[in-house]
Amino acid sequence: MSKSRKLHQLITEQEARHSSAARPEEAQSEDEEEDQLLEQHFQLTFTEFPGGSEAFELAAKFCYGVKIDLSPSNVASLRCAGEFLEMTEEYSEDNLISKTERFLSSSVLNSIKDSITTLKSCERLMPMAEELGIASRCIDSIVSRASSEQAMWNGIETAARRRRNGVIRGGVTGGGGGGSGSGGYSWFEEISLLGMPLFKQLILAMKEAEMNSEITESCLMHYAKKHIPGVSRSIRKPLPSSSSSSSSLATEAEQKDLLETIVSNLPLEKSSKPSTATRFLFGLLRTANILNASEDCRDVLEKKIGSQLEEATLDDLLIPSYSYLNETLYDVDCVERILGHFLDGIEHRSASEIDGGDSVPRSPALMLVGKLIDGYLSEIASDSNLKASKFYNLAISLPDEARLFDDGLYRAVDVYLKAHPWVSEQEREKICGVLDCRKLTLEACTHAAQNERLPLRAVVQVLFFEQLQLRQAIAGTLMATAEPGRPSVAAAALVERGSFGGVEEAGEGNRVGSDTWRVAVRDNQVLRLDMDSMRTRVHQLERECSSMRKTIEKMGQAGLQEEGAWWDPFALGRKFGCKFKTHVCDSHGPTAIDKGTSRPNQLQPHRPRRE
């Protein structure tokens, strides 16, 4: 009663009410009346005491002068208990309210972790904790401390980077180390323990304070991984155990609400760790499809993924189709939309560079996405429900500069034709039309020339361009033999016949020179053998092409006559320019053949096909 105004008032009222209701009998003696007064008890019940019985026990101990230990986990409940019991400074000096307020200001609000702990304890003290400003003060402390901490770590990383690069005054430093920014953000895990209402308030405060987008995104990522099952799980890994997902939200409605909240608060800027963020975004997108999130939510995710699609992997793109309307195993339409957003961004950046007067080189991001899409096409091509039109549209959606070579695309086409033997000849020709035979390497051309699944038109085109590549290779070899500083064939023949025998006897130095000439002669002989083999191959291809041309003329198809001499080598040469690389390179995979088998097929020398 000496510390709590409310307890004093309630007990006084109880005494007054009891005194007015008591009527002692005349027969009772004075001793009996005294014993009855000593046995009187006053019972007070607080049904909604903030912090429960534990907080009341600590407050009672404080009233009796027992020392209590304040901590970030109990200071909020004691502050609310002091407010409930009216333990103010005006009623009694050095009371509970002033003591807890001093602890909050001097200790809790000076630390991010302590502020998070106190904020977490406020969840069971609502709405009093909100009315007293405890939650809002903790949130403000977290935001301000996180901003200053992030600036400090940026300074440490900048100094460490300068030491590594030798920029610090005094010359190159040796083995300079520095702090890592990730070490200062260990409190992300503690934020993920907050309830959803307080977490929303914290994210809103971060956005209003214009905090660094990296911190906001990291908070959202940690919270989503903690409370939404499957976000951080790869589609090829098993489902998490019940123990690992015990902290997840209880109902799908709560998960959907949290998912849409996280997506709506994602920063628009590209993440500093795009590979990790891209994997996380794909996890959110898969979960959004499972929970049937809103169209706006999925559209935001697809656009953000499209802005950094070059960081994705093939596993990321393999999004299962959860709708009964899609017959395919994977959601191809979703990938097509994501690719469209990526291409829109590339086009916008290219237009900006052109307006600035700069030349636009081949985009590395575009080439990475080209390789990724070719791998995706090879993966989905074996789906028997994948329509030819959908495969074709996705294959031609990339611009020409996205592929340096078409070997990866050829492999996808080959897999599709193998998995769909029932497609018509017209559809086969349409699918093969996505290939640019000028971009096929010699290895891919050799494989395509023997591929019985390709239509006749595609085989003839491949044979023609393979012949041109061989001619280019021979021409390059001949030019290499005539480079300055190398002996001519005639001079090598003279050395072989011993015309320089007198020079060999002139001394040791001349013998060394003669040995060099002899090595050159042997190399020249090997080169001649290689050239003869290549000439034989070219003649063989020419005979085959001539034979196929005669066969086509005999077919007398009206369609071929209307199309004109599409197979004519000279017409095709004039049409396509016939510019080739002489080396063999595959930028979209180590081989042009089907890698789904356990043992790759060896490419055999070309043999003429039987008509």
Side-chain angles (χ1 to χ4, degrees):
M1 294 175 65
S2 62
K3 290 289 186 180
S4 170
R5 184 193 304 273
K6 187 169 187 177
L7 286 176
H8 183 274
Q9 292 177 349
L10 291 175
I11 293 175
T12 303
E13 292 175 359
Q14 287 272 14
E15 287 180 344
R17 193 179 305 114
H18 180 77
S19 298
S20 61
R23 294 179 180 178
E25 298 180 359
E26 297 179 356
Q28 289 180 336
S29 62
E30 294 181 359
D31 295 337
E32 292 177 350
E33 290 180 0
E34 291 180 359
D35 293 340
Q36 186 178 3
L37 289 175
L38 292 174
E39 293 175 356
Q40 289 179 354
H41 298 282
F42 300 102
Q43 183 175 356
L44 301 177
T45 304
F46 301 119
T47 57
E48 296 181 355
F49 191 85
S53 59
E54 296 179 358
F56 181 81
E57 181 181 1
L58 291 175
K61 289 181 178 181
F62 176 81
C63 293
Y64 284 98
V66 178
K67 183 180 180 181
I68 59 175
D69 294 328
L70 294 177
S71 66
S73 59
N74 64 15
V75 64
S77 60
L78 285 175
R79 173 65 180 86
C80 293
E83 187 72 19
F84 184 87
L85 296 175
E86 300 180 15
M87 301 174 69
T88 62
E89 197 72 12
E90 293 79 6
Y91 185 75
S92 176
E93 294 183 358
D94 197 20
N95 216 335
L96 185 59
I97 292 180
S98 59
K99 187 177 182 66
T100 52
E101 283 291 342
R102 285 195 300 269
F103 185 80
L104 277 171
S105 303
S106 62
S107 179
V108 173
L109 300 181
N110 290 329
S111 169
I112 293 182
K113 291 186 177 181
D114 291 346
S115 298
I116 296 174
T117 302
T118 303
L119 182 62
K120 171 67 177 176
S121 67
C122 291
E123 293 178 349
R124 57 192 182 96
L125 301 173
M126 293 298 182
M128 181 175 288
E130 187 68 33
E131 295 171 355
L132 297 177
I134 302 176
S136 59
R137 282 184 286 172
C138 289
I139 290 175
D140 293 341
S141 172
I142 294 171
V143 172
S144 61
R145 295 290 172 183
S147 300
S148 59
E149 186 174 300
Q150 198 261 346
M152 177 189 69
W153 282 112
N154 286 345
I156 293 176
E157 288 181 341
T158 302
R161 193 179 305 113
R162 288 179 178 177
R163 285 195 295 270
R164 287 193 299 268
N165 296 335
V167 181
I168 293 183
R169 188 181 305 172
V172 179
T173 61
S180 174
S182 60
Y185 303 145
S186 59
W187 45 269
F188 286 152
E189 291 293 340
E190 299 185 14
I191 283 184
S192 64
L193 300 177
L194 295 175
M196 189 173 174
L198 288 178
F199 180 75
K200 285 183 177 181
Q201 294 183 30
L202 178 61
I203 294 298
L204 182 61
M206 288 182 174
K207 295 184 68 175
E208 291 178 351
E210 298 181 355
M211 181 177 284
N212 186 282
S213 60
E214 180 183 351
I215 298 180
T216 305
E217 187 175 50
S218 297
C219 291
L220 293 170
M221 289 175 60
H222 281 78
Y223 198 84
K225 292 177 181 179
K226 184 74 174 179
H227 295 279
I228 303 180
V231 169
S232 59
R233 176 179 57 85
S234 173
I235 62 173
R236 298 196 174 190
K237 293 181 180 179
L239 288 170
S241 61
S242 58
S243 60
S244 62
S245 59
S246 58
S247 61
S248 302
L249 297 178
T251 64
E252 290 187 2
E254 291 177 340
Q255 295 177 18
K256 181 180 177 181
D257 185 20
L258 173 59
L259 175 66
E260 294 179 351
T261 300
I262 290 176
V263 172
S264 62
N265 287 283
L266 284 173
L268 300 177
E269 296 83 0
K270 191 172 182 179
S271 174
S272 60
K273 297 179 179 179
S275 59
T276 304
T278 303
R279 191 180 308 112
F280 166 72
L281 292 173
F282 272 105
L284 287 180
L285 182 58
R286 287 193 298 270
T287 307
N289 292 334
I290 296 174
L291 298 176
N292 195 21
S294 63
E295 291 292 336
D296 293 338
C297 175
R298 283 180 279 188
D299 186 59
V300 169
L301 285 173
E302 290 174 358
K303 288 182 179 179
K304 190 165 179 62
I305 291 173
S307 66
Q308 51 195 42
L309 184 58
E310 68 274 11
E311 301 293 338
T313 63
L314 180 57
D315 280 348
D316 294 334
L317 289 184
L318 297 177
I319 304 173
S321 179
Y322 298 103
S323 175
Y324 65 91
L325 299 176
N326 293 332
E327 299 178 352
T328 55
L329 178 62
Y330 298 110
D331 196 344
V332 183
D333 294 332
C334 178
V335 174
E336 194 170 358
R337 291 192 298 268
I338 292 174
L339 180 59
H341 294 314
F342 171 79
L343 295 176
D344 291 341
I346 290 289
E347 183 178 357
H348 179 71
R349 289 193 293 270
S350 299
S352 302
E353 293 177 358
I354 292 176
D355 294 339
D358 299 331
S359 60
V360 182
R362 188 186 295 267
S363 172
L366 183 60
M367 297 184 66
L368 287 174
V369 171
K371 182 177 180 180
L372 180 65
I373 295 299
D374 287 348
Y376 180 74
L377 286 170
S378 300
E379 190 71 24
I380 66 173
S382 58
D383 189 352
S384 58
N385 294 324
L386 181 63
K387 296 181 179 179
S389 58
K390 187 163 293 188
F391 179 89
Y392 175 82
N393 292 334
L394 184 59
I396 66 171
S397 57
L398 285 171
D400 293 338
E401 56 268 21
R403 298 182 178 97
L404 186 60
F405 293 97
D406 273 9
D407 288 20
L409 183 58
Y410 164 71
R411 179 179 181 272
V413 170
D414 184 41
V415 172
Y416 185 84
L417 295 179
K418 183 178 180 180
H420 301 77
W422 55 83
V423 297
S424 63
E425 188 70 17
Q426 182 179 2
E427 289 179 331
R428 286 174 178 269
E429 292 185 357
K430 181 179 179 181
I431 292 174
C432 292
V434 303
L435 294 172
D436 187 354
C437 295
R438 296 172 296 176
K439 290 185 177 182
L440 293 178
T441 62
L442 283 173
E443 184 183 6
C445 286
T446 304
H447 187 274
Q450 305 174 74
N451 194 341
E452 298 180 355
R453 290 183 287 270
L454 298 181
L456 182 60
R457 181 195 297 260
V459 173
V460 174
Q461 290 177 342
V462 168
L463 288 172
F464 169 73
F465 287 109
E466 184 185 18
Q467 176 184 354
L468 289 178
Q469 289 195 56
L470 288 172
R471 286 184 173 180
Q472 290 285 343
I474 293 173
T477 304
L478 293 175
M479 293 177 61
T481 59
E483 290 181 0
R486 296 190 62 178
S488 63
V489 177
L494 290 175
V495 173
E496 185 68 19
R497 290 194 301 267
S499 299
F500 295 137
V503 180
E504 293 180 9
E505 299 174 356
E508 184 66 24
N510 292 337
R511 292 193 189 93
V512 175
S514 176
D515 293 339
T516 303
W517 283 110
R518 292 181 186 277
V519 173
V521 170
R522 287 194 295 269
D523 293 343
N524 185 266
Q525 290 176 348
V526 174
L527 181 61
R528 284 181 178 180
L529 293 175
D530 293 339
M531 291 174 57
D532 291 340
S533 176
M534 295 181 69
R535 289 193 186 96
T536 303
R537 172 65 174 155
V538 170
H539 293 327
Q540 183 182 2
L541 290 172
E542 288 177 346
R543 288 195 300 270
E544 181 180 356
C545 188
S546 177
S547 175
M548 296 181 67
R549 178 176 179 178
K550 292 178 181 179
T551 303
I552 294 173
E553 289 176 352
K554 292 179 182 179
M555 293 171 63
Q557 296 181 3
L560 293 177
Q561 293 178 357
E562 293 176 1
E563 291 178 6
W566 59 268
W567 40 263
D568 187 271
F570 301 100
L572 286 175
R574 291 191 300 270
K575 180 178 180 180
F576 295 110
C578 306
K579 296 180 179 180
F580 301 95
K581 300 291 184 180
T582 59
H583 59 281
V584 178
C585 178
D586 184 1
S587 64
H588 295 278
T591 179
I593 61 178
D594 189 0
K595 302 172 188 174
T597 59
S598 59
R599 187 176 182 181
N601 299 325
Q602 300 294 330
L603 297 182
Q604 302 295 333
H606 175 72
R607 291 186 294 272
R609 297 177 58 193
R610 294 183 180 180
E611 298 297 331

